[in-house]
């Protein structure tokens, strides 16, 4: 079997040509959504025709960027690029608010010869690309390319759909906060293997299940969940725009009600957003009992989010076993592990001080002991995970905190154009083990009772007086300290001063706070007291920021590194800070 996207697409089209493959529900013109569909036969035809046109333009072997809005044009464009022998670069249109710099950086790094977009976005995309220094590429639509006449007497290329598993299918740009983006080279074999791993972990089967999603298609989870998994698993895909979710989150839950057997995914903030925004009347119309699985892929997944969503939607069929905490990253295509099927998420209470020192000590939550409650992310499927000391590279036993190292058929082959970084990240060796190369994830975790528990990112650790503190623990404490603080919009990080590293917290205030200046001192005192009591460290500086100013990655996570950069650059006016007389005391 040729384990390529094109092979699986051709198989699905041959088996059930008239069944619906993809449905896009457009909420831009109708509040109830207007669905448009593609059957497997029609999808394959559009992909084949566009792939042939791409080859005629000389795109085979080159990069082809997808800068279309989230719709069926995006799906066809991505698939056609991979099937034409080009390397697809899934990105986003210039109109996406707040991400123009990231788009420019990714385009400059990938250096594509062509960018595909939808007719309504063509003018804006052409202007954006023309304004970028050194960027020379053609921006075109599917309709434009397929209407151009081909060379006379040249038959349609029979090789159009015959790719090789080891060929690079696409570059997955990571959603991190670094100014220079990194594109992970994902081969056909990588993504097809990862799709099968996820299909097995979530028990998704042809004829019984579908996928429903609003996650961005340029994001690793959105791309695999909404496009590749449906093709490899031969299940229908239903998608909507991220903006449609943000405007009315109940739209997502209505689609889960309308399409039974659905697999879906979202980060922490989306589940909490549903709890806050979905009204009692809207909730009464829902029925979530037929959902196959709701993936939470945050790093880490929070117990409070699971509880809030479960309590809010239990009356309409939300069972605890439907929520599947999971772990993954772009360098491993996306999926690594998921909590066991048919089981409620495992939540374990660990001694916070011991955890900071690298040991997982299970304990009971008492008033006299600081604890960290972590949610288990299950066992890896179809790949091997090791917990390794990131300095000595020695493999650690269960119950010790270390870096997650991975190996398996889903691990990408490296970063585009970065051989040294690729060697260090994708071809690491465990001390005393010559059996193969490993992927260094940069994520800290422990293994307990057979499950992975993610504790945080190495680069985000807050180290004060030689003691490790996980920023998400501090952020959670801050967000619980005062109702004026906006949930999921807080960043904790350390800054170097003349007398060592100190803690800084930047937190957005709630949108309905009418007098943030008047509340600043009260909020700051509450935050300082809570952090001191919960973590035994002082807050060096506290910023109460305007809503929308704490930077996030393209996948919706708080970008702590970018936030630290903005803080050091003086982005936040001193007026947003409390008067810091004796602030570090």
């Amino acid at each position: 079997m040729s384990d390529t996207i094109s092979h699986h697409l051709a198989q699905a089209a041959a088996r059930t040509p008239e069944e619906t493959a993809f449905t896009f529900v457009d909420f831009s013109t109708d509040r109830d959504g207007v669905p448009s569909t593609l059957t497997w036969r029609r999808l394959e035809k559009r992909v084949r025709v566009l792939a042939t046109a791409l080859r005629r333009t000389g795109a085979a072997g080159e990069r082809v960027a997808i800068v279309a809005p989230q719709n069926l044009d995006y799906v066809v464009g991505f698939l056609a690029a991979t099937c034409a022998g080009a390397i697809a670069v899934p990105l986003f249109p210039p109109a996406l608010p707040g991400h123009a710099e990231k788009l420019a950086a990714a385009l400059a790094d990938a250096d594509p010869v062509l960018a595909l977009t939808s007719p309504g976005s063509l003018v804006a995309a052409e202007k954006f690309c023309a304004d970028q220094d050194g960027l020379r590429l053609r921006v075109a639509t599917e309709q434009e390319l397929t209407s151009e006449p081909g060379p006379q007497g040249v038959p349609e290329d029979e090789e159009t759909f015959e790719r090789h598993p080891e060929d690079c299918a696409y570059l997955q740009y990571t959603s991190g906060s670094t100014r220079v983006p990194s594109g992970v080279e994902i081969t056909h074999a990588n993504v097809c293997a990862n799709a099968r791993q996820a299909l097995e972990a979530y028990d998704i089967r042809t004829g019984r299940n579908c996928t429903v999603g609003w996650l961005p298609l340029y994001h690793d989870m959105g791309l695999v969940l909404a496009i590749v998994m449906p093709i490899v698993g031969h299940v229908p895909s239903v998608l909507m725009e991220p903006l449609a979710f943000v405007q009315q989150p109940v739209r997502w839950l209505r689609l889960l009600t309308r399409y039974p057997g659905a697999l879906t995914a979202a980060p922490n903030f989306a589940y909490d957003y549903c709890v806050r925004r979905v009204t009692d009347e809207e909730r009464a119309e829902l029925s979530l009992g037929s959902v196959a699985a709701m993936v939470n892929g945050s790093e880490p997944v929070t117990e409070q989010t699971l509880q809030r969503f479960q309590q809010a939607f239990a009356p309409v069929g939300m069972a605890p076993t439907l929520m599947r905490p999971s772990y993954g990253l772009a360098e491993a295509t996306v999926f690594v592990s998921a909590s066991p099927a048919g089981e409620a998420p495992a939540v374990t209470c660990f001694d916070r001080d011991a955890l900071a020192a690298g040991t997982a000590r299970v304990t009971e939550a008492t008033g006299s002991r600081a604890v960290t409650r972590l949610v288990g992310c299950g066992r890896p499927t179809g790949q091997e995970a090791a917990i390794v000391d990131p300095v000595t590279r020695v493999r650690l036993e269960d119950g010790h905190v270390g870096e997650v190292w991975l190996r398996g058929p889903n691990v990408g082959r490296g970063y585009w154009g970065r051989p040294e970084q690729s060697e260090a990240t994708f071809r690491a060796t465990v001390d005393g083990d010559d059996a193969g190369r490993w992927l260094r994830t940069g994520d800290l975790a422990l293994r307990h009772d057979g499950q992975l528990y993610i504790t945080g990112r190495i680069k985000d650790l807050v180290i004060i007086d030689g003691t490790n503190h996980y920023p998400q623990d501090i952020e959670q404490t801050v967000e619980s300290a005062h109702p004026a603080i906006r949930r999921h919009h807080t960043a904790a990080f350390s800054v170097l001063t003349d007398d060592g590293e100190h803690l800084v917290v930047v937190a957005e205030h709630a949108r309905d706070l009418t007098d943030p200046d008047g509340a600043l001192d009260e909020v700051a005192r509450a935050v300082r007291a809570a952090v001191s009591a919960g973590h035994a460290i002082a807050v060096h500086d506290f910023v109460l920021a305007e809503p929308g100013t704490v930077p996030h990655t393209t996948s919706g996570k708080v970008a702590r590194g970018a936030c630290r950069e903005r803080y050091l650059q003086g982005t936040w006016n001193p007026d947003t800070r409390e008067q810091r007389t004796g602030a570090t005391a």
Side-chain angles (χ1 to χ4, degrees):
M1 182 188 77
S2 179
D3 203 14
T4 63
I5 296 173
S6 53
H7 170 80
H8 290 287
L9 176 58
Q11 267 200 331
R15 288 169 59 187
T16 56
E18 301 309 323
E19 286 188 3
T20 299
F22 285 81
T23 300
F24 172 67
V25 184
D26 184 4
F27 291 95
S28 64
T29 58
D30 188 304
R31 61 179 302 170
D32 295 323
V34 178
S36 54
T37 63
L38 283 174
T39 64
W40 288 108
R41 185 199 300 276
R42 179 60 183 154
L43 173 65
E44 187 206 25
K45 178 64 176 176
R46 278 184 62 177
V47 168
R48 181 182 291 276
V49 171
L50 180 54
T52 300
L54 288 172
R55 290 179 66 85
R56 286 172 178 162
T57 67
E62 301 288 347
R63 276 79 59 216
V64 173
I66 318 299
V67 294
Q70 185 141 316
N71 54 29
L72 295 180
D73 290 347
Y74 198 111
V75 175
V76 172
F78 171 79
L79 293 173
T82 64
C83 294
I87 300 173
V89 187
L91 294 172
F92 42 87
L96 186 68
H99 293 294
E101 185 178 348
K102 292 182 180 180
L103 177 60
L107 288 171
D109 185 73
D111 192 24
V113 298
L114 185 72
L116 286 172
T117 191
S118 292
S121 301
L122 179 61
V123 173
E126 285 180 329
K127 183 180 185 306
F128 181 88
C129 292
D131 290 344
Q132 307 307 311
D133 291 338
L135 195 60
R136 297 290 180 267
L137 80 164
R138 177 185 178 186
V139 182
T141 65
E142 174 188 356
Q143 295 87 335
E144 180 184 349
L145 291 174
T146 56
S147 63
E148 293 176 349
Q152 292 295 318
V154 179
E156 182 175 316
D157 189 352
E158 295 297 329
E159 295 290 313
T160 300
F161 273 57
E162 195 54 48
R163 306 272 49 84
H164 301 289
E166 64 274 14
D167 290 343
C168 183
Y170 61 96
L171 300 181
Q172 180 62 65
Y173 278 89
T174 57
S175 60
S177 60
T178 56
R179 291 188 175 185
V180 180
S182 298
V184 183
E185 297 181 25
I186 302 296
T187 68
H188 285 267
N190 291 153
V191 71
C192 292
N194 201 231
R196 281 193 298 273
Q197 291 164 345
L199 289 163
E200 177 185 345
Y202 300 118
D203 192 25
I204 302 303
R205 303 180 188 178
T206 304
R208 187 185 71 183
N209 298 106
C210 66
T211 68
V212 171
W214 56 266
L215 291 177
L217 296 178
Y218 55 82
H219 182 247
D220 49 10
M221 187 64 192
L223 183 74
V224 175
L225 174 79
I227 299 182
V228 185
M229 277 180 66
I231 289 173
V232 174
H234 194 188
V235 296
S237 171
V238 181
L239 62 150
M240 57 186 274
E241 286 186 292
L243 180 60
F245 166 78
V246 172
Q247 290 171 335
Q248 291 189 40
V250 72
R251 290 166 169 168
W252 174 42
L253 304 181
R254 284 172 179 160
L255 291 183
L256 294 175
T257 298
R258 188 182 311 165
Y259 295 91
L263 168 69
T264 194
N268 275 322
F269 87 86
Y271 292 105
D272 276 332
Y273 191 57
C274 287
V275 173
R276 294 197 311 272
R277 291 290 302 274
V278 176
T279 66
D280 291 341
E281 293 78 10
E282 291 171 336
R283 185 182 295 114
E285 301 170 358
L286 302 174
S287 177
L288 301 180
S290 69
V291 175
M294 302 186 79
V295 177
N296 186 327
S298 297
E299 301 164 6
V301 177
T302 62
E303 178 191 18
Q304 293 88 341
T305 294
L306 300 181
Q307 290 177 340
R308 284 189 288 261
F309 191 84
Q310 168 62 30
Q311 290 169 0
F313 295 97
V316 292
M318 180 65 200
T321 54
L322 295 183
M323 190 66 78
R324 304 288 299 279
S326 303
Y327 167 64
L329 68 162
E331 287 80 355
T333 302
V334 61
F335 171 80
V336 173
S337 67
S339 62
E343 297 181 16
V347 180
T348 305
C349 194
F350 297 98
D351 183 290
R352 182 177 293 165
D353 293 337
L355 201 64
T359 302
R361 184 182 302 152
V362 178
T363 187
E364 295 296 325
T366 63
S368 60
R369 175 169 293 174
V371 299
T372 296
R373 298 176 69 86
L374 297 178
V375 178
C377 290
R379 302 166 177 82
T381 301
Q383 52 197 296
E384 184 182 359
I387 305 298
V388 179
D389 185 307
V391 177
T392 66
R393 303 192 178 201
V394 173
R395 193 164 184 164
L396 301 175
E397 297 179 354
D398 288 3
H400 292 274
V401 178
E403 184 182 5
V404 181
W405 288 26
L406 299 170
R407 61 183 175 191
N410 55 300
V411 173
R413 66 186 191 187
Y415 295 116
W416 174 256
R418 289 173 170 75
E420 292 183 3
Q421 188 181 356
S422 298
E423 186 69 23
T425 302
F426 288 84
R427 288 174 276 283
T429 56
V430 173
D431 186 57
D433 178 9
D434 298 325
R437 299 291 189 251
W438 294 80
L439 166 68
R440 298 191 62 165
T441 67
D443 292 315
L444 293 171
L446 60 95
R447 189 182 274 114
H448 172 71
D449 280 349
Q451 291 205 47
L452 283 177
Y453 286 79
I454 308 300
T455 62
R457 295 281 294 167
I458 292 175
K459 67 179 183 180
D460 287 340
L461 270 179
V462 175
I463 305 174
I464 307 292
D465 295 330
T467 301
N468 294 339
H469 300 271
Y470 291 104
Q472 66 271 13
D473 288 344
I474 298 172
E475 291 157 4
Q476 188 175 329
T477 297
V478 170
E479 291 174 359
S480 301
H482 197 282
I485 295 175
R486 189 182 179 199
R487 192 176 291 155
H488 304 301
H489 290 77
T490 302
F493 51 87
S494 61
V495 295
L496 182 62
T497 68
D498 291 339
D499 56 346
E501 294 279 346
H502 288 290
L503 173 66
V504 172
V505 174
V506 178
E508 291 184 12
H509 64 72
R511 291 189 181 277
D512 58 358
L513 184 63
T514 56
D515 183 17
D517 292 337
L520 179 56
D521 286 345
E522 177 188 325
V523 175
R525 284 195 299 272
V527 166
R528 290 183 179 284
V531 172
S532 177
H535 305 272
I537 53 175
V539 177
H540 173 73
D541 196 5
F542 174 72
V543 177
L544 188 62
E546 289 287 329
T549 58
V550 171
H552 283 65
T553 69
T554 52
S555 59
K557 302 171 188 173
V558 171
R560 298 185 184 98
C563 192
R564 183 177 183 275
E565 281 188 25
R566 290 189 184 183
Y567 172 83
L568 293 174
Q569 292 166 358
T571 296
W572 286 281
N573 188 292
D575 291 343
T576 64
R577 309 175 196 176
E578 87 282 18
Q579 296 301 310
R580 296 198 297 115
T581 303
T584 59

